[in-house]
Amino acid sequence: MAATITADTSRNDLLKIAIGGLVSGVLTPLLPDVVDLLPGVPRMLRLALLALPFAVLVFIVVRRRSANPVWAALVAAVVTMVAFVAAVNAAVFIDGQMTGAAKPMRSLFAGLTGGLVGAGVMALGIARLPAGPRKAEPWMSMLVTGAIAGSLLALDTSLGLDRTSFLYPVWQAAVGVRLALALRR
């Protein structure tokens, strides 16, 4: 009976994290207008601020799902913002390198690259925290999930989505759940 209650609690926790990822992913493409109101903020910091909703979710996941202290959860949130900047820059770089290819193909590869880089930077940074798993195995599913979900950039591009997105809600929900699974005590 206790194992069933624990499994249900774990499923409920993962569902809450997935819903939090969906909500943060809906907020992310809405933030540029708010961030643009901040005068004198450097461009890369503006880009990092777009990741704030997901960084809050990561803070909560790291704080609740691991034995990390509060400062480590804050570091994980900052790492998430850095990962967002790295992912966007990697996607833009790949898109620029494929100038002769069709736009859907460029978006597909840019999304795969950005998703992998974002998940990879998060995994590398969070694994270094005091209670972060040091082995690669717990992080591999997060990397694969990040790359595959990143390919949704091609769908967003082909549908011309600007203020809404499939990429951010799905990526943030999936990577948030994978992070929680990697941080099992």
Side-chain angles (χ1 to χ4, degrees):
M1 182 77 173
T4 305
I5 292 172
T6 304
D8 287 341
T9 303
S10 180
R11 272 190 232 123
N12 287 338
D13 287 345
L14 293 177
L15 181 61
K16 288 176 187 175
I17 292 167
I19 291 169
L22 291 172
V23 170
S24 71
V26 168
L27 293 175
T28 299
L30 301 176
L31 283 180
D33 290 335
V34 175
V35 172
D36 287 343
L37 296 175
L38 302 172
V41 177
R43 190 172 60 93
M44 287 300 154
L45 182 56
R46 285 175 189 253
L47 187 56
L49 289 174
L50 299 181
L52 195 56
F54 187 54
V56 169
L57 177 66
V58 168
F59 172 85
I60 293 168
V61 169
V62 170
R63 186 70 184 120
R64 291 191 177 185
R65 300 284 294 191
S66 69
N68 280 303
V70 174
W71 68 264
L74 286 170
V75 169
V78 170
V79 165
T80 301
M81 295 170 81
V82 170
F84 184 83
V85 172
V88 169
N89 285 326
V92 168
F93 176 77
I94 292 300
D95 186 64
Q97 295 301 307
M98 298 180 68
T99 52
K103 183 67 175 166
M105 189 60 64
R106 289 189 346 235
S107 296
L108 175 66
F109 282 102
L112 286 168
T113 303
L116 179 63
V117 167
V121 170
M122 284 180 63
L124 285 172
I126 296 171
R128 302 306 311 155
L129 296 178
R134 298 289 193 257
K135 295 182 180 180
E137 183 183 341
W139 300 107
M140 294 310 291
S141 61
M142 186 170 134
L143 295 176
V144 170
T145 300
I148 292 170
S151 68
L152 289 173
L153 178 63
L155 179 62
D156 285 353
T157 302
S158 67
L159 295 176
L161 299 177
D162 188 27
R163 295 288 181 212
T164 58
S165 170
F166 286 111
L167 168 68
Y168 292 124
V170 173
W171 193 93
Q172 292 178 14
V175 170
V177 167
R178 291 298 187 177
L179 172 63
L181 291 171
L183 292 175
R184 278 190 245 190
R185 294 180 194 212

